[in-house]
Amino acid sequence: MDYESDLNLKATELRLGLPGRDEPENQWPPILKNNKRVSAESSESSTTKSNSIVSNAETCHRDSAPPAKVKVVGWPPIRSYRKNNISQKKLDAEAGGMYVKVSLDGAPYLRKIDLKVCKSYQNLLKALEDLFKLAIGEYSEKEGYKESDYAPTYQDKDGDWMLVGDVPWDMFTSSCKKLRIMKRSEARGLGCF
Amino acid sequence: MNYFPDEVLEHVFDFIASHRDRNSVSLVCKSWYRIEKFSRTKVFIGNCYAISPERLIARFPGIKSLTLKGKPHFADFNLVPHDWGGFVYPWIEALARCRVGLEELRLKRMVVSDESLELLSRSFPNFKALVLVSCEGFTTDGLAAVAANCRFLRELDLQENEIEDHRGQWLNCFSDSCTSLVSLNFACLKGEINLAALERLVARSPNLKSLRVNRAVPLETLQRLLMRAPQLADLGVGSYVHDPTSDAYRKLKDTMQNCTSIRSLSGFLEVAPRCLSTIYTICPNLTSMNLSYAPGISGAELIKLIQHCRKLQRIWILDCIGDKGLAIVASTCKELQELRVFPSDPYGVGNAAVTEEGLVAISAGCPKLHSLLYFCQQMTNAALITVANNCPNFTCFRLCILDPMKPDPVTSQPLDEGYGAIVQSCKRITRLSLSGLLTDQVFHYIGMYAKQVEMLSIAFAGDSDKSMLYVLNGCKKLRKLEIMNCPFGNVALLEDMGKYETMRSLWMSSCEITLGGCKTLAKKMPRLNVEIINENNQIEFNPEDRQKVEKMYLYRSLVGPRNDAPEFVWTL
C-alpha cells in the first residue's frame, strides 16, 4: 500500500521557502555567505544562523539565481556619502525626473521643481513654501486655499489653468505642464478663492 | 657649516619642502634643529591621536599650515561608530591659545563642530584656506562664521562632508570687501543657497580659479557665473537641467565658448538627457573629469563626451560606461594617469557593468596609467597578468570585485597568481587593495615583491595566520594595514609586535583575534594605543580573554591613551 502517493504528503509537507517549488536536495547544507569565511559551524548566534539558512533556502528555489547576498557592513567599500548620493539619484534617474517650471506672481525669476521627488501634494506644497518662502496652507475641496494669500495652480495638457489639489496625485503629475502660484488679488475670477 | 649665520641657513632650508628631508635636516646638529624648528611652516599629522596639540606647537611654533587626519580609513565604510572620536576642537583651541599664526587647515575624517569653526574664524587673522574632507558635525552656521570673519579667505573646499544644512544665508556672510577667493567648493551641501549672493561673490573674486557648486544651483545661474568668471580652471556643475529649445541653452552654449581655461570638470549632480552637447567645446582642453556623482548621464552619453576629451589625465566615472566604453577611453585618452570606476549599483547582483575586459583594454591603451580604483563584477588571473605586463608603473592599485571571495570565473581558481603578477611587475606600488578569492599564496607574493607598499587593504582573504605574517615580515615600508573578515588570529597579531611601532596604524575587524591577544599586545607595547570598539555591548562586563574581538584599532602614539574615548571604546 502506497499511502504516500494517495495522501499526497508532499503537498502538505512543511518546508522552508516558496510553495509550489521542489526543494533541490543536493543544495544542503547551504553555503552561507556571511561575515565569516569559516564554515557554518562557527560561533554564530543560533538565530543568525537559522535566518541565514532560511534566506539561502529560499533562494535555492530559484533556478539559476545566485545565492542571496547577505549585506555585510563595510562591504562594498564605498563611502556612505557616495552610496547615499547614488541611491537617491538612481531613483531620480530611473524615474526620469519630472521637472516643471514654477512661477510666483511678482517674483523676478522662475524656479523648477521635480514632481517625482515630491510624491504627494503635501510634499509639493511644502516644497513650494520652502522655495518661495511663503505660506500656502491647506487645500480644501470646497474652498481651495482660503487661508492663504496664494493659490497654487497648474497648466494642464489642454492649456487650462487648474487649482492644484483637485485630482489624484498621479493624475496631476501626468497632466501638469507648469505651475503658477497666484496671488489672491489676481485670482478673483476663480470663485474658489 | 657652523660659520653660516642663522639667516643664511634659514634661507637654505626654505628650499627644502618635503617633511622627510626636513626631519633629516633637524637631526644634523642642535643649531640646525633649532633653526629648522622655527622655520617649519607646514606640518602633516596622519593620526591626530599620535601627538597632542601642545607638543606640536612646542616643536614647531612657526606652524602656518596643518593637515590632520582623524578616524581610521574604514570609518568611510560605516565600520566605526559615530562618536568614536577625531575631534578638531582641542587642536583649534590650543592653536588659538598659543597665538599660532595659522593660515591653512586641512582635515580628513574628523569631527568638526560649529563651535570649532567659529573659534577658528575669530582666532587667526591671516587665515586663508580651509579644506574639509569626509568630515561631519557642523552646519552651515559654522560656514557662515568662516565666511564672515576670515577676511582674507582664499580657499573653502568642502569635499564629501555630512553637513547639516540650515538653508543658508551663509553665502551672504562673505563681506563685500572679501575679494580674495581662489577656490570655493560647496558641492556636498544639500540645501538651497542664495543664488544672488553667489553671483555677487563670484563677481568680486577676480582670482577665482575653482568653483564647485551644489545641486541647488540651476543652469541659468551657472551660465551667469561663467560669464563673470571666464578665467575658471576648475568647474563643478550643480544642476544641469534645461530644455534644449530654451534661451538658457543657447546662452550657455555661447558662454561656454569663452571658457577656454577650464581644465577640470565635475558635478552634474542633476542632469537632463541630451543636454551635454553644450560642454563639448570645453572637452578638448580637459585634463581631469569627475562624473562619478552623475548617474543621470547614460553610458552612451558618457562615451560620446569622452571622445572629445583627448587630453584627459584623470577620469572618475561610474561603471555604466561599460567595458565597451572603457575600450573607447583606452583609444581616446592616451595621457590617462588615474582612473576610478565606481559602481552605480553597489548591491546589484550579476549586472556586469564592467569586467576584466574593460581593465585590460585600458591597460593596453593607456601606458601612463599609474593609479587605479576599479569596482567590477569579476576579474581573471589572465587579465591581471596582462595588466601587469602592460602597466608596470602602478603606484596605486585598488581592485574591488563586488562579490567578496569571487574566484576567477573562467578557471574557478583563486586570484593569487594575478595579483602576484601585479606586485612582481609593478615595483613602485605604494598602495594596494585586494578582493576576490585569495589564499595564503597571494600574501606570500606580496611579502616577497611588494617592497614599497605603504598601505594595504585586505578583506575576505587568506586561509591562515601565515598570510598576515608574510605581510608583516616582507613589507618593510608598511605604514597602514587594514583587515576585515579574514581568519587571522593572535599568532599573527603577536608575532612581531615591534613592527607596529614602525607603522601608523593597524585595523582588524571580524577576524580571529581575541581579547587576551589584544591585552598581551597592549601590555608589551606601551607606546601603542590598542583600542577595542565594543559596539552593542558585544563584550560583556567581565569578559573572558578568549572572547573574540570584533573591532580593534591600534596605533603608535607619543602621548598615551586618549582622554576623549567614548564608553564603547576600550583602550587596553
Side-chain angles (χ1 to χ4, degrees):
Chain A
M1 283 191 282
D2 196 355
Y3 286 114
E4 275 196 352
S5 57
D6 288 333
L7 294 171
N8 199 5
L9 284 173
K10 212 154 173 60
T12 55
E13 184 186 60
L14 283 177
R15 52 186 181 163
L16 303 166
L18 301 171
R21 292 186 193 236
D22 281 334
E23 198 174 276
E25 271 143 15
N26 58 6
Q27 294 256 4
W28 287 88
I31 304 152
L32 290 174
K33 283 213 177 212
N34 54 17
N35 282 8
K36 302 283 181 203
R37 291 188 70 235
V38 297
S39 65
E41 293 86 61
S42 70
S43 57
E44 305 248 332
S45 72
S46 53
T47 46
T48 336
K49 204 164 148 187
S50 54
N51 284 343
S52 319
I53 292 175
V54 167
S55 71
N56 273 287
E58 282 179 8
T59 57
C60 285
H61 292 96
R62 283 184 227 134
D63 286 334
S64 53
K69 300 275 179 279
V70 180
K71 279 191 190 172
V72 177
V73 177
W75 192 266
I78 304 173
R79 278 191 188 158
S80 27
Y81 175 84
R82 191 175 279 286
K83 258 193 254 187
N84 294 340
N85 258 278
I86 288 177
S87 57
Q88 171 56 47
K89 278 175 277 165
K90 195 161 180 270
L91 297 174
D92 284 355
E94 276 171 350
M98 189 181 271
Y99 284 91
V100 293
K101 291 185 187 172
V102 190
S103 59
L104 168 65
D105 289 352
Y109 52 82
L110 281 63
R111 299 303 301 271
K112 272 224 168 138
I113 197 166
D114 185 350
L115 295 181
K116 277 269 153 76
V117 166
C118 291
K119 294 192 178 81
S120 73
Y121 279 124
Q122 197 180 18
N123 289 346
L124 171 63
L125 294 179
K126 177 89 183 25
L128 292 175
E129 286 179 337
D130 283 347
L131 206 55
F132 291 104
K133 312 276 185 285
L134 43 76
I136 296 177
E138 288 194 78
Y139 165 82
S140 88
E141 206 183 330
K142 285 216 175 126
E143 314 193 44
Y145 298 88
K146 64 165 182 161
E147 264 148 358
S148 165
D149 285 335
Y150 298 94
T153 64
Y154 71 99
Q155 187 178 42
D156 72 1
K157 284 186 178 145
D158 301 328
D160 298 321
W161 286 95
M162 321 285 294
L163 186 70
V164 168
D166 286 333
V167 300
W169 174 256
D170 285 339
M171 196 186 292
F172 163 71
T173 54
S174 60
S175 56
C176 170
K177 289 265 146 254
K178 45 166 109 158
L179 287 162
R180 176 183 164 196
I181 303 179
M182 282 186 171
K183 273 201 188 139
R184 187 176 265 274
S185 47
E186 305 268 344
R188 246 167 238 138
L190 277 177
C192 54
F193 232 56
Chain B
M1 278 302 187
N2 291 340
Y3 313 134
F4 286 132
D6 286 0
E7 304 82 63
V8 175
L9 281 174
E10 260 180 52
H11 183 65
V12 172
F13 292 171
D14 269 350
F15 292 99
I16 302 174
S18 132
H19 65 272
R20 282 179 198 175
D21 290 341
R22 291 204 137 224
N23 291 345
S24 308
V25 158
S26 46
L27 290 174
V28 167
C29 64
K30 279 194 183 152
S31 72
W32 278 40
Y33 177 91
R34 187 179 34 86
I35 296 168
E36 197 283 318
K37 161 186 169 130
F38 285 103
S39 67
R40 190 164 331 190
T41 56
K42 263 184 108 148
V43 178
F44 168 85
I45 296 178
N47 175 6
C48 64
Y49 289 120
I51 187 103
S52 70
E54 286 75 20
R55 280 183 69 163
L56 167 71
I57 297 168
R59 177 75 178 82
F60 298 117
I63 181 178
K64 293 209 175 87
S65 163
L66 176 62
T67 303
L68 278 174
K69 292 190 180 182
K71 301 186 198 178
H73 177 231
F74 275 178
D76 277 349
F77 316 135
N78 293 342
L79 283 170
V80 174
H82 234 50
D83 332 316
W84 173 87
F87 306 104
V88 78
Y89 187 82
W91 291 84
I92 297 180
E93 191 273 329
L95 291 163
R97 191 175 7 103
C98 301
R99 301 190 205 288
V100 169
L102 192 69
E103 294 182 9
E104 299 180 354
L105 186 62
R106 293 180 167 77
L107 304 177
K108 189 167 187 179
R109 279 190 291 272
M110 293 199 74
V111 177
V112 180
S113 60
D114 281 345
E115 211 189 336
S116 24
L117 290 176
E118 277 155 27
L119 183 59
L120 173 78
S121 72
R122 284 183 279 111
S123 310
F124 309 109
N126 268 337
F127 194 75
K128 295 194 171 71
L130 181 64
V131 179
L132 302 177
V133 181
S134 284
C135 295
E136 50 163 356
F138 60 107
T139 76
T140 45
D141 294 346
L143 296 179
V146 171
N149 300 328
C150 300
R151 297 178 40 227
F152 304 112
L153 195 67
R154 285 202 204 138
E155 198 179 332
L156 179 60
D157 187 357
L158 307 169
Q159 296 176 32
E160 301 188 342
N161 302 291
E162 294 294 340
I163 307 174
E164 199 179 296
D165 202 318
H166 291 168
R167 313 248 138 177
Q169 298 302 320
W170 66 277
L171 269 179
N172 288 12
C173 296
F174 280 100
S175 87
D176 288 338
S177 60
C178 177
T179 56
S180 45
L181 269 184
V182 173
S183 167
L184 177 62
N185 172 7
F186 59 91
C188 62
L189 278 178
K190 298 196 187 87
E192 303 292 322
I193 54 143
N194 187 320
L195 298 174
L198 177 61
E199 283 186 52
R200 285 194 305 269
L201 181 60
V202 169
R204 65 176 185 275
S205 303
N207 299 322
L208 193 68
K209 282 280 182 302
S210 166
L211 177 64
R212 298 188 187 191
V213 303
N214 73 346
R215 275 183 98 136
V217 176
L219 187 126
E220 294 81 10
T221 307
L222 177 69
Q223 186 267 326
R224 285 194 290 271
L225 294 172
L226 290 176
M227 284 269 289
R228 295 193 188 276
Q231 77 283 2
L232 275 182
D234 171 21
L235 175 65
V237 172
S239 172
Y240 208 75
V241 174
H242 61 76
D243 187 348
T245 61
S246 64
D247 260 349
Y249 180 89
R250 247 177 300 116
K251 270 195 208 159
L252 185 66
K253 237 184 160 152
D254 292 336
T255 309
M256 284 283 188
Q257 308 266 15
N258 285 338
C259 297
T260 52
S261 308
I262 297 183
R263 297 284 172 274
S264 166
L265 189 63
S266 62
F268 293 90
L269 310 172
E270 252 173 18
V271 179
R274 295 184 302 281
C275 277
L276 291 178
S277 52
T278 36
I279 62 172
Y280 289 169
T281 42
I282 56 174
C283 288
N285 293 327
L286 287 181
T287 55
S288 167
M289 188 159 80
N290 179 356
L291 297 180
S292 62
Y293 284 109
I297 302 180
S298 68
E301 286 184 290
L302 254 184
I303 293 173
K304 266 203 283 188
L305 191 64
I306 288 191
Q307 283 173 313
H308 289 84
C309 305
R310 301 199 149 264
K311 289 202 187 145
L312 278 177
Q313 295 170 15
R314 180 196 303 156
I315 300 178
W316 291 25
I317 42 175
L318 290 173
D319 62 1
C320 52
I321 196 171
D323 286 331
K324 297 230 162 54
L326 287 176
I328 294 180
V329 171
S331 61
T332 311
C333 307
K334 295 303 183 186
E335 301 299 314
L336 192 62
Q337 296 178 26
E338 177 184 332
L339 175 66
R340 297 196 192 188
V341 180
F342 294 95
S344 41
D345 188 5
Y347 299 110
V349 175
N351 303 324
V354 293
T355 68
E356 75 279 8
E357 284 178 28
L359 184 58
V360 167
I362 291 279
S363 72
C366 307
K368 297 189 183 176
L369 188 68
H370 66 79
S371 175
L372 180 75
L373 172 60
Y374 195 72
F375 285 84
C376 57
Q377 290 300 142
Q378 63 184 47
M379 186 53 57
T380 64
N381 282 312
L384 284 173
I385 293 170
T386 307
V387 169
N389 288 333
N390 288 341
C391 291
N393 294 322
F394 273 116
T395 53
C396 171
F397 189 86
R398 297 192 281 164
L399 189 61
C400 179
I401 303 166
L402 285 172
D403 185 357
M405 299 187 291
K406 187 163 181 168
D408 179 330
V410 172
T411 62
S412 300
Q413 293 297 301
L415 292 173
D416 302 333
E417 297 306 312
Y419 283 104
I422 293 281
V423 293
Q424 204 174 342
S425 164
C426 306
K427 302 190 179 2
R428 287 198 284 264
I429 282 198
T430 52
R431 185 165 180 188
L432 183 60
S433 297
L434 316 170
S435 59
L437 183 65
L438 296 163
T439 71
D440 288 342
Q441 183 60 28
V442 72
F443 297 103
H444 185 57
Y445 289 138
I446 289 175
M448 208 179 350
Y449 297 113
K451 293 303 184 189
Q452 303 299 320
V453 144
E454 296 178 10
M455 181 168 177
L456 182 61
S457 310
I458 307 171
F460 300 99
D463 303 316
S464 73
D465 286 333
K466 277 199 249 168
S467 290
M468 189 166 161
L469 290 171
Y470 286 139
V471 169
L472 292 173
N473 291 335
C475 299
K476 303 293 181 200
K477 299 220 173 152
L478 194 62
R479 289 191 297 117
K480 286 181 281 182
L481 179 58
E482 44 187 28
I483 304 171
M484 61 179 269
N485 299 75
C486 296
F488 308 152
N490 293 341
V491 169
L493 182 70
L494 300 174
E495 166 88 3
D496 179 6
M497 295 187 263
K499 171 84 175 171
Y500 305 128
E501 278 190 2
T502 69
M503 292 166 52
R504 185 189 296 173
S505 65
L506 167 67
W507 167 282
M508 291 180 76
S509 59
S510 301
C511 297
E512 304 286 323
I513 54 175
T514 69
L515 188 57
C518 295
K519 278 187 184 171
T520 307
L521 179 55
K523 196 161 178 207
K524 294 236 165 89
M525 307 293 299
R527 284 190 298 202
L528 295 179
N529 283 350
V530 180
E531 292 186 10
I532 309 281
I533 295 175
N534 179 27
E535 280 172 294
N536 309 323
N537 290 315
Q538 271 161 358
I539 301 183
E540 298 97 35
F541 183 60
N542 244 335
E544 287 182 16
D545 280 358
R546 57 194 167 87
Q547 185 159 6
K548 284 205 199 138
V549 161
E550 184 58 26
K551 292 178 184 172
M552 178 206 70
Y553 179 57
L554 70 79
Y555 52 92
R556 66 182 175 190
S557 175
L558 292 175
V559 290
R562 56 187 175 113
N563 54 14
D564 62 1
E567 256 180 45
F568 53 81
V569 173
W570 299 357
T571 306
L572 299 178

